[in-house]
Amino acid sequence: MTILDMHNHSVASDDARATVEQYAKWLDMLRRKGLEIDGFVLTEHRQFDTQRNYDEIAERYVLKIFNAAELDTDAGHFLVYGMNEPILKRFDLADVTMHAEDLVEVADDSGAIAVPAHVGRYNIGFCEFVERRPFPSVRVVEHLNGGSNDDEAARAQQLLAERGYVGIAGSDAHFVNRIGRYLTRFLDPVGSMEDIVAGLRAGRVEPLIADNVPSRAP
């Protein structure tokens, strides 16, 4: 079993204010207070740097740190796990109007997975598009998102109940004290991005909300 926070942004994203090491330090403090978490995924907005590596930070804080991406499409935002050369060659990641079905298809065919993010959010959530664009190959969506309000969370819950999607959770952290709140439990061990993709595709995951996470440093 492995528990990860699947959706977070560092200062590499234009609207975030936390460094990767600050996130690691914060999670180290939370673990000493009892939080069960093994690591987190960085999903920077509209970019993916193949040279970005956080192994030194991960080793120092005994955390798993993975890189993914959050991409804007014409059907809302998608979290792409397993970013690879076929995706990078096919799409301009900065293009906020990329065709969502194409992204899902290329990800599926190349060993990655594209997961609709914050699905209940108005205007940019999957709920806004799925009725007229059913996306038959989408099986996993972000059920719980740390930036969603109660109404958006209820919309997400209804979508999963109606369509039987597998749900994951992510804090959608942009500031240090927001990470570690919404987590995804993988039922199998995770040691690589390939393991993350395999777990998502197999549906061997479940979303969690962390208990007793402080909102500011002690």
Side-chain angles (χ1 to χ4, degrees), residues 95-163:
D95 178 9
V96 299
T97 64
M98 74 171 65
H99 191 58
E101 286 89 346
D102 288 348
L103 175 62
V104 171
E105 180 180 358
V106 173
D108 286 347
D109 290 346
S110 64
I113 187 170
V115 176
H118 37 65
V119 296
R121 195 166 297 177
Y122 289 96
N123 299 318
I124 59 172
F126 201 54
C127 288
E128 302 284 336
F129 306 96
V130 69
E131 289 296 333
R132 60 185 185 274
R133 296 168 63 178
F135 291 89
S137 67
V138 169
R139 292 289 180 268
V140 184
V141 302
E142 188 181 47
H143 177 191
L144 302 176
N145 174 277
S148 296
N149 60 35
D150 290 345
D151 185 34
E152 292 165 345
R155 295 180 82 207
Q157 179 64 41
Q158 182 176 355
L159 180 71
L160 269 76
E162 291 176 349
R163 294 182 175 267

Side-chain angles (χ1 to χ4, degrees), residues 4-10 18-20 22-30 35 37 39-42 63 65 170-183 210 213-215:
L4 301 174
D5 191 332
M6 294 288 286
H7 183 173
N8 300 284
H9 302 277
S10 77
T19 67
V20 176
Q22 285 172 332
Y23 280 143
K25 285 181 178 179
W26 183 258
L27 290 178
D28 184 59
M29 180 273 292
L30 293 183
L35 178 68
I37 186 170
F40 60 98
V41 184
L42 294 159
L63 282 167
I65 303 176
S171 295
D172 200 355
H174 289 67
F175 300 91
V176 173
N177 62 7
R178 305 309 296 178
I179 199 169
R181 294 171 173 270
Y182 291 80
L183 308 172
V213 175
S215 61

Side-chain angles (χ1 to χ4, degrees), residues 33-49:
K33 291 179 175 291
L35 178 68
E36 292 186 51
I37 186 170
D38 297 297
F40 60 98
V41 184
L42 294 159
T43 52
E44 308 295 6
H45 290 297
R46 301 175 297 279
Q47 59 181 285
F48 185 79
D49 185 349

